[in-house]
């Protein structure tokens, strides 16, 4: 049994972590720390201890790992505190505010023989897993270009912000999802072209980014905007023999927002209308077009991997090197914005 606790009792803990953890019989949630119980907005979970005394959580010898689900500007301080109390640590993303902070936290964990990693749950998005399946089946031929989009039409968000903060940028907030997907599958790029903008002007929020990552002849483009009335496809993949278009995103977040939880068999599962379309030429030059059944996503697989790492000593799936590379890309992308 892996016994864990949480720092933070807000949306992150209750929407993106607990629904998956509570399904796993080999993980026990013992304690949740909330700084101010007067702000409590989520129903309490039977059998879980709630506290506003951080020392109670940190000094509990039964708890092996603590999950940090707070604002990113507190990740460094909390992670350091957790490690200094000799507990493994899982940190929401963006992992830290800078790569230097990340290096320090990884070094401290290594010194103490502990595990610390980012909660990169989007590695287990249905659309991303389906793209991998299509690539590996080989019908696209040699890969030439991959585009991934994460679009909103929420102009009120950037319009309400009258200052620029790197760690509160759109690149940090959403690039931490998509960049990790790219790095996890394709590795370190040969080169990167950055187009990171403040569409409302200097001194405002970063509300748009378009990063091109080059892997030999392959270009992987990561694009996002707050001003897209009509979303672009989630993924478009081009090869020498064909292309694959996945219009819709993974549905886990959609269902979680409706409080339709993972205990339902069809949670997060694509219907036929959500399936992507593969178009390709066969060896005879004939063109085929077919729907591709989506691979089911599961954010809880992050916890499965952590269980194996903490309890059974297996290597981490989400490595320090991958997280550091992501942090360096995020930093570089916003360094010239003011």
């Amino acid at each position: 049994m892996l016994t864990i606790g949480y720092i933070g009792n807000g949306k992150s803990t209750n929407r993106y972590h607990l629904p998956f953890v509570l399904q796993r019989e080999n993980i026990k949630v013992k304690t949740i720390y909330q700084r101010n119980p007067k702000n409590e907005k989520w129903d309490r979970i039977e059998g879980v201890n709630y506290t506003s005394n951080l020392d109670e959580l940190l000094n509990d010898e039964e708890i092996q790992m603590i999950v940090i689900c707070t604002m990113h500007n507190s990740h460094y301080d909390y992670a350091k505190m957790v490690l200094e109390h000799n507990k493994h640590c899982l940190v929401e993303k963006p992992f830290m505010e800078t790569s230097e902070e990340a290096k320090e936290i990884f070094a401290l964990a290594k010194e103490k023989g502990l595990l610390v990693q980012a909660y990169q749950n989007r590695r287990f998005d249905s659309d991303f897993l389906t793209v991998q399946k299509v690539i590996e089946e080989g019908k696209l031929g040699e890969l030439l270009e991959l585009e991934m989009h994460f679009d909103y039409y929420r102009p009120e968000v950037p319009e309400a912000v009258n200052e620029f903060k790197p760690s509160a940028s759109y690149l940090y907030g959403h690039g931490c999802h998509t960049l990790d997907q790219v790095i996890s599958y394709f590795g370190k790029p040969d080169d990167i072209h950055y187009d990171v903008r403040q569409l409302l002007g200097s001194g405002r929020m970063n509300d748009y980014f378009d990063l091109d990552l080059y892997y030999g002849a392959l270009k992987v483009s990561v694009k996002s905007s707050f001003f897209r009335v009509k979303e672009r496809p989630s993924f478009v993949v081009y090869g020498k023999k064909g292309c694959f278009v996945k219009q819709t995103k993974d549905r886990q977040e959609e269902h979680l927002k409706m409080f339709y939880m993972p205990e339902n068999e069809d949670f997060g599962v694509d219907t036929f209308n959500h399936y992507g379309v593969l178009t390709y030429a066969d060896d005879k030059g004939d063109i085929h077009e077919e729907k591709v059944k989506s691979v089911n996503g599961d954010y809880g697989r992050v916890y499965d991997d952590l269980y194996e790492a903490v309890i059974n000593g297996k290597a981490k799936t989400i490595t320090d090197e991958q997280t550091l590379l992501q942090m360096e890309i995020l930093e570089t992308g916003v360094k010239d914005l003011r």
Side-chain angles (χ1 to χ4, degrees), residues 240-253:
K240 283 187 176 180
K241 294 182 179 180
C243 74
F244 175 67
V245 180
K246 180 70 171 73
Q247 189 69 39
T248 57
K249 293 181 175 61
D250 175 277
R251 302 182 72 208
Q252 291 178 88
E253 184 170 21

Side-chain angles (χ1 to χ4, degrees), residues 18-150:
L18 290 175
F20 302 95
V21 173
L22 294 173
Q23 279 200 309
R24 282 155 167 82
E25 295 180 356
N26 56 3
I27 301 177
K28 175 188 175 183
V29 179
K30 183 175 182 183
T31 300
I32 296 176
Y33 164 76
Q34 51 186 355
R35 191 170 57 180
N36 187 354
K38 292 180 181 178
N39 296 332
E40 192 172 325
K41 297 178 181 177
W42 297 80
D43 293 339
R44 290 195 171 191
I45 298 162
E46 187 178 350
V48 174
N49 173 44
Y50 288 77
T51 183
S52 294
N53 179 357
L54 185 56
D55 287 338
E56 182 182 345
L57 174 66
L58 293 170
N59 295 317
D60 187 333
E61 293 184 1
E62 284 188 10
I63 293 176
Q64 299 149 281
M65 184 176 78
I66 292 178
V67 185
I68 298 169
C69 293
T70 59
M71 295 295 289
H72 49 266
N73 58 6
S74 64
H75 287 180
Y76 170 80
D77 290 333
Y78 277 132
K80 191 172 182 181
M81 201 180 301
V82 168
L83 293 170
E84 286 174 342
H85 282 79
N86 296 307
K87 298 189 186 301
H88 304 290
C89 186
L90 176 65
V91 185
E92 255 294 0
K93 55 196 174 304
F95 182 63
M96 297 288 149
E97 291 194 283
T98 68
S99 58
E100 285 305 312
E101 288 181 349
K103 288 175 185 175
E104 186 179 335
I105 291 300
F106 285 133
L108 178 59
K110 186 175 182 180
E111 175 189 322
K112 289 185 158 288
L114 296 167
L115 177 153
V116 61
Q117 76 168 48
Y119 182 61
Q120 296 292 357
N121 57 314
R122 296 287 186 165
R123 288 196 186 188
F124 305 109
D125 272 351
S126 171
D127 50 356
F128 178 50
L129 295 173
T130 304
V131 164
Q132 294 177 54
K133 179 181 80 168
V134 170
I135 291 172
E136 287 158 17
E137 284 176 348
K139 291 179 181 177
L140 294 173
E142 182 184 343
L143 288 190
L144 301 175
E145 189 172 1
L146 186 152
E147 296 179 1
M148 47 202 302
H149 308 108
F150 211 113

